[in-house]
Amino acid sequence: MDETMTLPFEVKLAAGADMVEGELRRLLDTRPLEGELYRPDRLLKAMRHGVLNGGKRLRPFLVLETAALFEATDDTAALRVAAALECIHCYSLVHDDLPAMDDDDLRRGKPTVHRAFDEAAAILAGDSLLTYAFDIVSAPETALPAEAKITLVNRLARASGMGGMAGGQALDLAAEGSSLSEDEILRLQAMKTGALIRFACEAGAVVGSAQDADIERLGEFGAAIGLAFQLADDLLDLTASSEAMGKATGKDAAAGKATLASLHGIDWTRQQLRGLVAQAEDILEPFGERADTLKQAARFVAERQS
C-alpha cells in the first residue's frame, strides 16, 4: 500500500498546498515569458499578494487527487492545471473583496489586495490572474494532448464565467435584501462556489485521460462537495469568529443575504452536511480504496472549522 494513504488528511492537504505554492511562485516570477514584453513590478507584487497568502488550496488539491485517481502519467501537467485553477479562484477573491462587491478588509488574516495596494491595482491583479490561468493551461509546458487542453480551457471558462462563478457572484449581489427561494439559493451557490469545485474534480479526470462516464461521475462528486463547502461556509459565517476565519463573519446576515443555513437553521444545515458526505462517498464507491483520500476530502469540507 502507498504509505501516503495512511497519513492524516490534513497532512496530505498541507503537502498538496506546499506543492501548489511552489508552482505559483515559479509562475509568478519576475522574468517575462516568451511573448510578454515586461512584468510591471507593482502589478506582480499585487498578484503575488493575492495568491501567495496561504490558504488550504483545496481546489488545486482536488485536481491533483483526481488526476492521481486515474494514474495521470505527467504530475507536472496536473500541478500546472491545479495552479491555473488557483489563479482563477484567487482572482475571484481579489475582486470579491473590492468595495463595489463584498467590501472586505481582511483575507486569510491579511489585508486584502485593494487595502495593501489600491483598488486599481486589485482590479488589474485580478484581471491578470484570470487571463494567466488560461495561459498556463494552454502553454507548451503543460504536457497534455491538444484535445485535453481544449477541453480544460472550455470547461474552466464556463465554470468561471457568466454561467458559473462570476454569474453566481452577480446573483449574490443582486440578492442583498431580497427573499430567495431554496431553489434560487441552490442555483446561486452552485454557480458562485460549486462551479470551480466541480471543475477541479473534472479537470483531474481529464488530465488522467479518464473515460467520459468517469469524468461525469467526478463532476457529480464535485457538485456534492461544492454544496457542502458552501453550507459549511454559511454555517461558519453564523457561528465562527473573525479570528478563526481570517476574515469578517456575520456579513451575510448584516447584508440581508439569504442562505440555506439562515433559512433552515443550524441543526438542519449540519444534517444536510452529513447527507452530502454520504452522497459523495457513494459516488466514489466504484473506485474502491483508491478514492479514500477524496472521501476524506468530502468529510473535511463538511466538518472544517475555518
Side-chain angles (χ1 to χ4, degrees):
M1 177 183 291
D2 184 347
E3 63 180 16
T4 60
M5 295 292 290
T6 63
L7 293 174
F9 178 77
E10 288 77 5
V11 173
K12 300 177 193 176
L13 185 62
D18 286 345
M19 289 174 58
V20 173
E21 183 93 2
E23 185 66 15
L24 288 166
R25 287 186 181 279
R26 286 188 288 274
L27 290 164
L28 293 171
D29 189 69
T30 57
R31 293 167 294 183
L33 301 175
E34 182 180 354
E36 293 181 340
L37 300 179
Y38 177 67
R39 291 188 165 188
D41 182 64
R42 193 165 188 272
L43 173 60
L44 186 59
K45 285 179 178 177
M47 293 169 68
R48 290 169 68 91
H49 184 88
V51 173
L52 304 176
N53 59 357
K56 300 177 183 66
R57 311 292 189 195
L58 175 66
R59 291 158 188 81
F61 178 82
L62 291 170
V63 175
L64 297 175
E65 281 301 316
T66 50
L69 182 65
F70 296 100
E71 299 179 344
T73 57
D74 192 328
D75 292 341
T76 303
L79 184 57
R80 285 178 62 86
V81 173
L85 175 56
E86 190 68 356
C87 285
I88 294 275
H89 174 56
C90 291
Y91 123 73
S92 76
L93 301 181
V94 171
H95 280 191
D96 282 358
D97 290 336
L98 287 166
M101 302 277 273
D102 288 346
D103 193 14
D104 279 310
D105 296 333
L106 285 177
R107 173 65 65 181
R108 295 169 178 166
K110 300 175 183 177
T112 51
V113 176
H114 71 276
R115 288 300 183 191
F117 294 84
D118 55 49
E119 289 184 38
I123 292 168
L124 291 171
D127 292 345
S128 300
L129 288 169
L130 169 61
T131 51
Y132 195 24
F134 295 100
D135 181 327
I136 295 166
V137 173
S138 61
E141 292 82 1
T142 303
L144 292 171
E147 184 177 353
K149 288 185 180 182
I150 291 169
T151 297
L152 290 167
V153 165
N154 182 257
R155 286 177 182 256
L156 182 54
R158 293 186 180 183
S160 57
M162 62 181 173
M165 180 196 64
Q169 178 66 9
L171 292 175
D172 192 40
L173 291 170
E176 291 187 7
S178 301
S179 296
L180 298 182
S181 68
E182 182 168 323
D183 285 346
E184 288 173 324
I185 295 171
L186 284 168
R187 180 175 62 186
L188 184 162
Q189 295 182 342
M191 293 170 68
K192 181 182 177 182
T193 302
L196 285 189
I197 293 177
R198 178 168 187 146
F199 170 81
C201 298
E202 294 172 339
V206 172
V207 171
S209 302
Q211 298 295 314
D212 289 346
D214 284 333
I215 295 172
E216 179 63 26
R217 179 174 290 275
L218 267 295
E220 291 172 5
F221 168 77
I225 66 169
L227 177 55
F229 187 97
Q230 186 61 58
L231 281 175
D233 214 44
D234 293 342
L235 188 62
L236 289 168
D237 191 65
L238 292 174
T239 61
S241 67
S242 297
E243 290 75 19
M245 293 295 288
K247 63 179 181 179
T249 56
K251 293 197 70 178
D252 288 342
K257 290 184 180 180
T259 67
L260 292 177
S262 64
L263 191 66
H264 293 296
I266 291 173
D267 290 341
W268 178 92
T269 303
R270 287 175 174 155
Q271 182 179 357
Q272 290 297 114
L273 284 167
R274 289 191 290 271
L276 286 166
V277 170
Q279 179 185 339
E281 291 177 339
D282 286 345
I283 291 169
L284 295 175
E285 203 56 43
F287 302 112
E289 292 183 357
R290 293 185 295 125
D292 281 354
T293 298
L294 289 173
K295 293 177 183 178
Q296 291 172 351
R299 292 191 289 272
F300 172 82
V301 163
E303 297 169 3
R304 65 196 175 91
Q305 299 300 308
S306 65

